[in-house]
Amino acid sequence: MNTNVGKAAGLLAGCVLLLLGIAASMMFGASHYTVSEAWQAAFHYDESVSEQIIIRTTRIPRALIAAVIGASLAIAGALMQTLTRNPLASPSVLGINAGASFIVVLAALVFSVSSMQALMWLAFAGAAFGAVVVYMLGSVGRDGLTPLKLVLAGAAMTALFASFTQGILMLNKQSLSTVLYWLTGTVAGRSPDMLRTVMPYIAASWVASWFIARDLNVLMMGEDAAKGLGQRTVLLKALAGLLIIVLAGAAVSVAGPIGFIGIVIPHAARFLVGIDLRWVIPYCALLGAILLLAADLVARFIMIPEEVPVGVMTAVIGAPFFMYIARRGILKS
């Protein structure tokens, strides 16, 4: 009981940090604003005040998008690591982000698709295609699916999708600079309409992820044990896979392929609360949101007045963590 109280207190502390992160995102950047100005823009909006217009139309949507995307990628990473029993599984490592990015770039530049609704569904399709291909490649051979084979298959498909994407960009050089910035992962300049389009799907996936957490806990005991307890493991895996595709695809359609959050945050959450996914998933949501908000905030100050894409900042954090896990020998098949 005391343990659960401590975990609940941790969630409360995480909510406070998240609110502070959103407030900092509203106040700091190329132009700084006071607490009073941020408060007035959020709760007493006056269209005649230029500072409030900037905060309300630019800073607040950017903060909310960063929080939502960070939470979604972290939850997707936790689900993937549970399903594959691979500590390095994440949408960025296993080709899901790359597949979604390729389809979005193909549709936007070759077929001139501009509807956010259409691009979102295409991102879902690309994420699903990438996941299926990587799973099939990782399952080839007598020993079946292993963590090492899965990561190698993901790396190969990520490289392949990246090559295809670069080829499309070379055919349409007029949009090269804009698309390249999106491909590095960014929450800057994203429209609030983008968030409104994907939010119903993301919110439903968050809730569904938590509701299947208990069943996934049982699945972690082993497939035979889960079946012995009457669990429909195939259906459960399919549902979890669908949630991963929706979360990762929606994130890519809005902010591009932001990497490493799906690797780092699930490990941090398990370090804090153990392996029970009923706690890991809400902790992932909070920590992922906080991390992406912090990364976006730091990215604003490195090259003032220019901004570093937030995807670069998450890579700076995640790449050493990736290598640390590999050095510990977790990738042994």
Side-chain angles (χ1 to χ4, degrees):
M1 182 66 179
N2 290 336
T3 301
N4 287 339
V5 170
K7 292 175 181 177
L11 282 179
L12 182 60
C15 290
V16 173
L17 285 176
L18 177 60
L19 292 175
L20 291 175
I22 292 173
S25 183
M26 292 165 57
M27 294 165 56
F28 302 120
S31 300
H32 295 342
Y33 301 101
T34 65
V35 174
S36 176
E37 288 171 331
W39 180 270
Q40 292 295 324
F43 300 105
H44 304 285
Y45 182 49
D46 185 350
E47 294 182 354
S48 64
V49 181
S50 59
E51 290 81 3
Q52 291 189 29
I53 294 174
I54 295 172
I55 295 171
R56 187 67 174 261
T57 61
T58 303
R59 294 282 179 87
I60 292 178
R62 180 170 179 170
L64 294 178
I65 288 171
V68 169
I69 298 303
S72 299
L73 291 173
I75 293 173
L79 293 176
M80 290 186 73
Q81 289 174 15
T82 300
L83 281 185
T84 63
R85 299 181 185 177
N86 183 345
L88 291 182
S90 78
S92 59
V93 172
L94 299 190
I96 293 178
N97 282 357
S101 300
F102 166 65
I103 295 298
V104 168
V105 170
L106 177 67
L109 298 189
V110 177
F111 298 101
S112 301
V113 177
S114 58
S115 166
M116 184 60 200
Q117 190 81 23
L119 291 175
M120 178 189 68
W121 284 103
L122 288 167
F124 292 162
F129 178 71
V132 170
V133 172
V134 169
Y135 182 83
M136 291 174 62
L137 290 176
S139 301
V140 172
R142 293 182 179 179
D143 51 349
L145 188 68
T146 65
L148 179 58
K149 287 166 60 178
L150 196 62
V151 170
L152 291 176
M157 291 309 301
T158 297
L160 182 62
F161 283 131
S163 298
F164 288 161
T165 302
Q166 291 170 7
I168 294 171
L169 292 176
M170 294 307 297
L171 296 176
N172 193 327
K173 295 183 180 180
Q174 293 180 345
S175 304
L176 185 62
S177 59
T178 301
V179 175
L180 279 178
Y181 194 75
W182 175 82
L183 282 171
T184 59
T186 180
V187 294
R190 304 294 92 188
S191 166
D193 291 335
M194 293 180 175
L195 182 60
R196 280 192 286 267
T197 299
V198 301
M199 197 62 217
Y201 302 93
I202 288 177
S205 297
W206 288 351
V207 174
S209 297
W210 188 81
F211 271 106
I212 67 170
R214 182 188 295 272
D215 292 330
L216 288 174
N217 285 337
V218 175
L219 186 62
M220 285 192 292
M221 297 167 55
E223 192 155 348
D224 291 338
K227 288 180 179 178
L229 293 172
Q231 193 175 89
R232 298 179 180 179
T233 58
V234 174
L235 182 61
L236 177 62
K237 289 179 180 180
L239 177 56
L242 178 62
L243 295 176
I244 292 167
I245 288 166
V246 171
L247 291 169
V252 169
S253 68
V254 174
I258 296 174
F260 294 105
I261 288 179
I263 296 176
V264 174
I265 294 302
H267 286 278
R270 285 192 289 268
F271 176 79
L272 293 173
V273 296
I275 63 172
D276 187 346
L277 285 168
R278 291 173 297 178
W279 288 103
V280 168
I281 286 175
Y283 265 78
C284 278
L286 283 173
L287 294 175
I290 292 167
L291 176 61
L292 196 56
L293 277 168
D296 181 51
L297 195 59
V298 173
R300 302 178 192 182
F301 293 95
I302 292 179
M303 296 176 59
I304 295 177
E306 301 296 328
E307 292 187 6
V308 176
V310 70
V312 175
M313 298 305 304
T314 59
V316 169
I317 298 169
F321 189 84
F322 184 99
M323 291 185 286
Y324 167 72
I325 296 176
R327 285 179 62 86
R328 289 180 57 190
I330 299 181
L331 286 180
K332 292 180 180 179
S333 58

